[in-house]
Amino acid sequence: MYQIHSEVPRLRWPWVVASALVGVVALTQLSPFELLGVSSALVLIGLIAFRTEHGRDIAAWTTSVGVGLMIPAVPMAVLRGVNSF
């Protein structure tokens, strides 16, 4: 049976850190919800690509960038949502 947690060591941690920094800068131009949508789509595409045998490197890159973009997007989206009340 395929298990997602077996792919965690394949993440490219320098890409996660770099894309988190890019995400912080992107928040000046995008709303947190737009950035969260983009990052969620990248993670979903990466997880789907992990299921193929030949796309594992591209999947690791795509998922790493998506996770990195989520790091600044999630707290800002929560803050924006809390401040809307």
Side-chain angles (χ1 to χ4, degrees):
M1 183 173 159
Y2 182 78
Q3 296 177 349
I4 292 289
H5 64 81
S6 66
E7 302 300 341
V8 170
R10 293 182 187 265
L11 286 179
R12 308 297 192 251
W13 295 105
W15 280 100
V16 172
V17 172
S19 59
L21 295 174
V22 168
V24 169
V25 174
L27 283 172
T28 62
Q29 300 298 319
L30 299 172
S31 77
F33 299 111
E34 292 170 337
L35 187 59
L36 190 58
V38 169
S39 63
S40 298
L42 285 173
V43 169
L44 181 64
I45 290 167
L47 290 177
I48 290 170
F50 267 128
R51 311 254 312 149
T52 65
E53 192 63 37
H54 302 292
R56 299 242 172 172
D57 289 333
I58 295 170
W61 178 83
T62 306
T63 306
S64 298
V65 170
V67 168
L69 289 174
M70 278 187 183
I71 292 171
V74 169
M76 291 305 293
V78 169
L79 288 174
R80 174 82 51 100
V82 168
N83 286 337
S84 67
F85 288 111

